Amino acid sequence: MTRAYQCANVPGPHLGKVGTSASVASAIKRAERPVLIVGSELTNLNWALDLAKKQDIPVVATAHVAGMMREKGVDPDRVLGAIEITNLLKSPEWGGIRGEGQHDLAIFVDVLYYMEAQMLSTLKHFAPHIKTISLTKGHQPNADQSLPNLSEKKMIEFLAGVVEGLAEA
Amino acid sequence: MIKDGRFVIDNMENVVINIGKITTEEELDEQEWEPMGPTPKPGILSLRNWDHRLLKDFPPFYAPICDMCCLCTYGKCDLTENRKGACGIDIEAQQARMVLIACCIGTAAHAGHANHVLHELIRWRGRDHPIDLGPYIDVEAPIIRTVVGTIPKTLGDLEEILNYVNQQLVHALSSTHTGQEGSYIDFESKALHVSMIDNLAKEVADIAQIAGFDFPKGDPDAALIDFGFGAVDRTKPIIVFIGHYPAVSVATIDYIEERGLSDKIEVCGICCTAIETSRYSASAKVIGPLSMQQFFVRSGIADVLVLDEQCVRTDLLEEAQKTGAPLILTTDKICYNLPDVTNRDTDKVVADLLNGTPGVLISDPLKAAKVITETALKMKPKRDGLNHLPELEEVQKLAEECIKCGWCDRACPNSLPVKDAMIKAKEGDFGGLSDLFSPCMSCGRCESECKKELPIISMILKSAQEIAFGETYTMRAGRGPVLDTEIRKVGAPLVLGEIPGVVALVGCSNFPAGEVEVAKIAEEFARRNYIVVATGCSAMAMAMYRCEDGQTLYEKYPGSFDAGGVVNIGSCVANAHIIGAAIKIAAIFARLPLRGNFEEIADYILNKVGACGVAWGAMSQKAASIGTGTNRWGIPVIVGPHGSKYRRAYISNKELSEWELYDKRTGEVVEGEPAPEHLMYPAETMEEAIVLTAKLCIRPSDNAKGRQIKLSNYADLYKKYMGTLPPDLHLFVRKETDIPITMKGEVMEYLKEVGWKPRKAIGEPSRLVPEEEV
Ligand code: SF4
Ligand code: SF4
Ligand code: SF4
């Protein structure tokens, strides 16, 4: 069984799936209003921005990541604390980043691992209307699906696989 | 039959009898100092309306860290997907219940400390020992005045307050039993209540300490204390006190002085006992915050280790034994299955310890003082020449045993790269290990995970020896309460916003990236003329930093409660004085009556006093109750990312919230602003916390000049870290005159873009329903 990356952080009897590149790609494809939440670990920042651009997914920059994105010439759609965006996502009446309705998929990339675990827990318990994917380094059992625990090289391959999967019709 | 009333007895001057209690005239005066307010000694229900109003504006946000409950034998109960426990509880109420339990534990720890120190001081000084906080503090004990409705004059008076504390704690804790409260909102209200009681207990503890130990009475120029591993003179016998309860260290310093040994022994401390000890004697050394505990013990520098209570590593007996230092326990809180030798002849106890008894428990501080000193003197020569840390060659050899499994990284709360550091050390490059010294909190979780049983903490410390042992810093001794004279000076500019805020750096050292971040937060706000106050581990963490000019923060900035000051208030219990300062602004500047008048005072603070707590390394249950209590008084708190594991925040939702306030002047409901926007907020990074701190200091009471100053700080910091103007700036601009002059052009342009319209500033902002509506 895949354990949480921070190995004591076992939430309970119901654990999310260990994703594959294909399963992540297919969940993103199926989503009508996904949102990408990009945090302070910065490991997969470029990949995330690329994904957002190609798939036209709105980006929320947490912590002070907006500054770094802007240095790269990318303006995030919203700047919110990790807890602020989680709070908005859990309200069914929120209209979403683009005002088109509450999101149906939240993809977390690089939010500080243990804080992300908490935010995913909130969504798991209090936002049944939303699916979650974690592509932050290390397995997150509170996400509906998340990366397995991978070496850096394998993680890059995994993420490249997601992009490939999305490119397939 | 004698009816209720007062009787003056002939020939007994100054004595009046109240039926049921004999009262002196002095006490009668006392009773008249202010009319009693509506809620003296509030019970759980007394301030429930206030809590519910707070929780409406700042609803609880839950992030369960465990999906289950295992508190009774029905359990474990799975609370996911709307499942209820066998007792009927749901996941939200269960989170709130766990928060309440944490707040009760925290309150119990402070109340335990208060009970303990008060009874010891009454034994030393007598019940009639006066509480005198010096000529510059008339409004002493602001929390006691506001909550209890009395003014304590003697140590004995504090006992009655603790009776009330103990009683409230019992009621709050009892409602966490299976099958009691079932509403998360009311669990939260109880958490807020018991945490206010925590604040009260801390005030009792620190007032007792100031009176009984003659600690500084709000001295802005309190002594600069030598700080850090490097400050310790290793040629002398070294005694180290760890914990929070200062009676033993104080008694030991007295014993050492009485015997003329002051220049022959080093007295040092870790965690809050260190701060307390330095409040008593400027020659005591401070090693550092809690995060330094295991590092220092491993260094083997201590000849005797003395533990009192709270936040002490529970395996220190084992660790002390490894270094050959005897362990002396001094309170009933920590017994470690060691023999209680309080009644044994002290010379015999010293002999036992020298002959290899690993540790003892001595619950009488005066006896402990003798044993500690005599043992240290005789132990020193026996321990001279012992080496406790591996040599660098040994570190390399140990690293060679590493199998690169990576479980250390996964066990580490901060996911530090221990494995990579080991791989480097194998090659003789100790840079990776030494880089871990600053962000590592010496918790030891990596070690207990390592299948190769590598002594990772010792390896880190050895690799970082030049940083660890080479530096000496300074910390200003904890000064205690803020003076009335200081409040008189800053009250108006704070309420009007011309001093942009009070930033209170408090709490433990579970930092996401080391001590340096607390220092950087402090520096950012001191430079910007905020009042920076600090307590506990954060006050110590701030000392471990040099500004660009080489000075420590305590050397560079004055210790006065004034714009641009960096003020070490004291230990955890001294946190009461930070809330106390906010209360005193209401009392001295706004002339509000304090007595039994909690709601009005908290409402004043929430709407008018631009203060923000930052508990960047909050770890303990005490930090939970400190923070939650601070919230009940209307002061927002930012915690570090680890604080998200407290399971609960108080977050507004500005896109969905209505910000309605009352204008007390007109009694009307008026459009407010998200100031403050959140009440308890975990931030992900230091930069986020800095920007948010500036924002959370904004208050509806700011005048135009004050709002300009606050907005210019907020906008400037936002730009610095996020690269643009804040996207919520329009929410805080009431009229054009609120716009910082230097940013006028770009702000006006932005306001036009978002369709901003001017609105009225609120005359007397309040969240209390005006009386005619009640
Ligand atoms: S207290 Fe309630 S939820 Fe907890 S184990 Fe018992 S029945 Fe289950
Ligand atoms: S847990 Fe021990 S053996 Fe494994 S990588 Fe870490 S130091 Fe090496
Ligand atoms: S001792 Fe340091 S490196 Fe080890 S788990 Fe704790 S914080 Fe991490």
Side-chain angles (χ1 to χ4, degrees):
Chain A
M1 194 185 77
T2 302
R3 252 168 93 177
Y5 177 74
Q6 286 205 336
C7 48
N9 196 8
V10 182
H14 302 280
L15 306 174
K17 272 197 317 205
V18 180
T20 61
S21 298
S23 70
V24 169
S26 119
I28 297 176
K29 264 191 211 165
R30 273 199 312 273
E32 284 176 22
R33 286 179 306 280
V35 59
L36 195 60
I37 299 155
V38 183
S40 65
E41 300 251 36
L42 307 178
T43 319
N44 299 319
L45 175 60
N46 289 336
W47 179 88
L49 293 177
D50 208 43
L51 176 82
K53 199 168 156 198
K54 282 195 187 129
Q55 299 294 319
D56 188 29
I57 303 174
V59 172
V60 174
T62 72
H64 64 295
V65 180
M68 286 170 246
M69 287 186 185
R70 284 171 177 142
E71 275 168 25
K72 291 174 183 286
V74 179
D75 226 4
D77 294 82
R78 285 295 291 276
V79 182
L80 290 165
I83 191 165
E84 290 177 313
I85 177 62
T86 307
N87 201 27
L88 287 168
L89 289 173
K90 95 184 160 68
S91 317
E93 67 266 37
W94 185 50
I97 298 286
R98 291 177 176 164
E100 295 164 351
Q102 179 57 284
H103 298 280
D104 58 351
L105 175 69
I107 308 160
F108 284 77
V109 183
D110 285 351
V111 175
L112 191 61
Y113 176 88
Y114 52 90
M115 189 162 176
E116 182 178 299
Q118 292 304 96
M119 299 305 108
L120 289 166
S121 168
T122 299
L123 295 177
K124 161 171 135 180
H125 286 281
F126 307 116
H129 50 271
I130 203 162
K131 291 262 176 260
T132 56
I133 294 177
S134 167
L135 300 175
T136 300
K137 183 187 167 211
H139 182 59
Q140 291 276 22
N142 279 326
D144 288 313
Q145 54 172 322
S146 118
L147 289 179
N149 296 308
L150 296 173
S151 68
E152 212 170 301
K153 188 165 157 256
K154 285 265 160 64
M155 185 165 65
I156 292 169
E157 285 169 20
F158 185 106
L159 296 176
V162 173
V163 175
E164 273 166 36
L166 283 166
E168 285 163 19
Chain B
M1 203 180 99
I2 302 175
K3 295 232 172 89
D4 284 0
R6 289 176 190 161
F7 302 85
V8 181
I9 297 177
D10 290 346
N11 303 328
M12 284 183 77
E13 273 175 38
N14 298 333
V15 172
V16 174
I17 293 182
N18 269 357
I19 292 308
K21 189 182 172 196
I22 297 179
T23 312
T24 63
E25 272 198 348
E26 205 180 41
E27 278 175 321
L28 268 182
D29 279 352
E30 198 45 59
Q31 287 170 11
E32 309 306 333
W33 56 274
E34 246 173 29
M36 185 60 89
T39 55
K41 292 196 176 176
I44 284 181
L45 299 179
S46 315
L47 300 168
R48 187 166 167 249
N49 285 345
W50 171 251
D51 298 336
H52 282 228
R53 174 65 212 239
L54 277 183
L55 296 167
K56 175 174 162 277
D57 287 354
F58 309 100
F61 168 104
Y62 295 113
I65 197 160
C66 174
D67 296 348
M68 296 185 288
C69 174
C70 52
L71 281 173
C72 85
T73 69
Y74 275 136
K76 302 178 175 178
C77 293
D78 173 9
L79 301 176
T80 53
E81 292 169 9
N82 291 326
R83 290 179 184 87
K84 291 178 184 174
C87 62
I89 205 163
D90 65 16
I91 185 83
E92 282 182 311
Q94 176 62 14
Q95 300 317 295
R97 181 186 183 198
M98 294 305 291
V99 169
L100 173 56
I101 290 173
C103 292
C104 285
I105 297 173
T107 304
H110 286 136
H113 177 155
N115 279 283
H116 223 131
V117 84
L118 181 62
H119 293 139
E120 190 59 28
L121 281 168
I122 286 177
R123 186 168 79 102
W124 292 12
R125 314 269 188 250
R127 294 178 53 90
D128 295 336
H129 185 79
I131 293 170
D132 171 14
L133 297 186
Y136 306 111
I137 299 181
D138 283 333
V139 187
E140 72 296 89
I143 296 180
I144 295 172
R145 287 178 180 217
T146 311
V147 176
V148 182
T150 59
I151 300 178
K153 295 285 183 202
T154 63
L155 290 179
D157 291 346
L158 295 173
E159 271 188 318
E160 199 193 315
I161 297 162
L162 285 186
N163 288 339
Y164 164 69
V165 165
N166 300 344
Q167 184 197 50
Q168 293 307 306
L169 182 55
V170 168
H171 289 309
L173 184 57
S174 73
S175 60
T176 66
H177 188 273
T178 300
Q180 303 254 44
E181 187 55 77
S183 146
Y184 72 87
I185 286 286
D186 277 307
F187 269 127
E188 293 293 350
S189 169
K190 290 172 173 113
L192 288 161
H193 180 70
V194 82
S195 301
M196 175 197 72
I197 297 297
D198 164 283
N199 305 156
L200 177 66
K202 286 185 306 218
E203 185 169 84
V204 169
D206 210 47
I207 286 184
Q209 291 181 169
I210 293 170
F213 299 134
D214 199 21
F215 282 171
K217 300 178 167 88
D219 179 7
D221 299 314
L224 282 171
I225 307 292
D226 288 341
F227 186 105
F229 287 27
V232 182
D233 181 348
R234 293 159 77 172
T235 62
K236 297 178 188 170
I238 295 162
I239 303 169
V240 178
F241 293 91
I242 308 180
H244 289 74
Y245 167 70
V248 190
S249 59
V250 163
T252 306
I253 289 169
D254 285 350
Y255 182 88
I256 289 171
E257 272 174 14
E258 277 158 25
R259 272 154 196 76
L261 297 166
S262 297
D263 55 349
K264 298 198 171 57
I265 294 186
E266 282 283 85
V267 174
C268 319
I270 295 176
C271 208
C272 280
T273 304
I275 296 199
E276 305 291 29
T277 309
S278 71
R279 290 168 90 183
Y280 191 65
S281 160
S283 60
K285 309 278 169 70
V286 176
I287 308 284
L290 186 70
S291 47
M292 289 292 133
Q293 188 173 180
Q294 183 73 314
F295 278 134
F296 192 77
V297 172
R298 282 289 172 86
S299 76
I301 294 176
D303 293 304
V304 175
L305 279 167
V306 187
L307 311 186
D308 48 80
E309 57 181 73
Q310 303 161 43
C311 309
V312 179
R313 281 194 69 90
T314 52
D315 59 353
L316 279 192
L317 179 59
E318 187 189 325
E319 290 293 336
Q321 270 179 292
K322 285 185 202 161
T323 70
L327 188 73
I328 297 179
L329 311 179
T330 55
T331 73
D332 55 8
K333 305 293 181 299
I334 300 178
C335 301
Y336 293 169
N337 198 24
L338 288 177
D340 181 353
V341 297
T342 311
N343 295 323
R344 185 171 160 79
D345 177 72
T346 45
D347 292 332
K348 287 187 180 149
V349 177
V350 175
D352 293 345
L353 290 168
L354 293 170
N355 289 330
T357 297
V360 292
L361 168 65
I362 309 174
S363 62
D364 178 345
L366 302 171
K367 279 193 175 170
K370 181 175 177 200
V371 171
I372 291 162
T373 312
E374 301 300 335
T375 307
L377 286 169
K378 293 182 182 127
M379 203 67 204
K380 168 75 179 162
K382 287 180 120 191
R383 293 181 73 260
D384 263 347
L386 289 181
N387 235 351
H388 304 284
L389 290 177
E391 293 302 325
L392 279 177
E393 302 83 70
E394 290 170 79
V395 172
Q396 186 172 355
K397 276 224 173 74
L398 286 164
E400 280 163 15
E401 287 177 37
C402 167
I403 50 169
K404 300 191 268 184
C405 64
W407 282 99
C408 42
D409 297 13
R410 293 182 59 180
C412 176
N414 282 338
S415 301
L416 293 175
V418 181
K419 181 187 81 178
D420 287 350
M422 287 294 171
I423 294 172
K424 278 192 185 167
K426 269 185 207 199
E427 307 302 322
D429 173 357
F430 303 103
L433 283 170
S434 120
D435 286 348
L436 295 177
F437 179 69
S438 168
C440 168
M441 8 197 207
S442 73
C443 74
R445 234 156 72 172
C446 51
E447 282 189 1
S448 61
E449 194 71 36
C450 178
K451 295 282 174 297
K452 290 284 156 188
E453 293 179 16
L454 296 181
I456 299 170
I457 293 176
S458 308
M459 294 165 79
I460 293 173
L461 181 58
K462 182 67 193 179
S463 305
Q465 58 184 344
E466 272 161 39
I467 315 168
F469 300 106
E471 274 279 16
T472 306
Y473 304 95
T474 55
M475 180 193 81
R476 202 170 288 288
R479 54 167 276 178
V482 173
L483 304 176
D484 294 10
T485 40
E486 291 172 306
I487 296 288
R488 265 184 210 113
K489 189 168 167 217
V490 303
L494 262 174
V495 169
L496 301 174
E498 292 162 13
I499 293 177
V502 179
V503 177
L505 294 158
V506 301
C508 338
S509 50
N510 187 14
F511 302 123
E515 292 84 10
V516 67
E517 290 192 334
V518 188
K520 286 187 177 165
I521 298 172
E523 192 181 25
E524 183 77 68
F525 287 102
R527 279 199 295 121
R528 291 171 181 274
N529 268 331
Y530 287 68
I531 304 175
V532 177
V533 296
T535 55
C537 280
S538 290
M540 289 180 265
M542 271 162 54
M544 303 168 69
Y545 174 77
R546 286 189 191 284
C547 308
E548 251 173 34
D549 59 9
Q551 287 181 296
T552 65
L553 289 168
Y554 292 111
E555 288 161 358
K556 182 159 180 166
Y557 295 95
S560 48
F561 189 82
D562 201 349
V566 172
V567 189
N568 179 4
I569 297 282
S571 65
C572 291
V573 289
N575 271 311
H577 305 312
I578 300 179
I579 296 167
I583 299 172
K584 291 203 316 186
I585 291 172
I588 296 171
F589 171 64
R591 299 184 176 278
L592 291 183
L594 298 185
R595 193 172 189 192
N597 194 24
F598 179 87
E599 272 189 5
E600 192 180 8
I601 298 301
D603 185 55
Y604 182 90
I605 295 172
L606 175 59
N607 292 297
K608 296 192 171 186
V609 179
C612 178
V614 182
W616 195 236
M619 167 279 292
S620 65
Q621 296 86 15
K622 290 197 304 161
S625 56
I626 294 171
T628 304
T630 305
N631 286 162
R632 202 189 209 196
W633 290 98
I635 301 172
V637 176
I638 298 169
V639 291
H642 285 295
S644 63
K645 293 181 241 171
Y646 279 125
R647 312 168 161 82
R648 184 268 277 131
Y650 293 140
I651 300 288
S652 84
N653 196 335
K654 71 179 161 220
E655 313 222 353
L656 303 166
S657 305
E658 291 157 3
W659 291 96
E660 284 183 348
L661 297 178
Y662 295 103
D663 187 339
K664 262 191 179 172
R665 267 186 211 154
T666 60
E668 285 168 3
V669 176
V670 288
E671 189 191 345
E673 49 191 351
E677 186 177 344
H678 305 301
L679 210 50
M680 174 67 78
Y681 182 99
E684 188 181 345
T685 59
M686 172 191 75
E687 293 83 350
E688 180 188 2
I690 288 176
V691 174
L692 186 64
T693 302
K695 178 159 74 166
L696 293 188
C697 285
I698 299 173
R699 287 297 174 280
S701 64
D702 300 334
N703 67 12
K705 184 175 165 205
R707 184 59 64 93
Q708 279 190 29
I709 295 172
K710 290 188 185 186
L711 287 183
S712 90
N713 279 298
Y714 172 44
D716 187 48
L717 286 165
Y718 197 93
K719 267 190 174 175
K720 175 169 166 185
Y721 294 116
M722 312 290 194
T724 59
L725 282 176
D728 55 3
L729 192 59
H730 57 288
L731 299 178
F732 302 102
V733 181
R734 298 159 301 186
K735 298 184 196 152
E736 264 187 51
T737 45
D738 284 347
I739 302 170
I741 294 165
T742 49
M743 301 178 172
K744 193 118 193 182
E746 53 176 335
V747 171
M748 279 311 291
E749 203 175 299
Y750 163 79
L751 292 178
K752 221 182 263 165
E753 228 171 82
V754 297
W756 167 85
K757 289 205 181 65
R759 62 189 152 85
K760 264 183 26 191
I762 308 167
E764 272 294 309
S766 167
R767 280 176 164 83
L768 296 176
V769 185
E771 256 163 44
E772 50 275 22
E773 276 186 41
V774 176

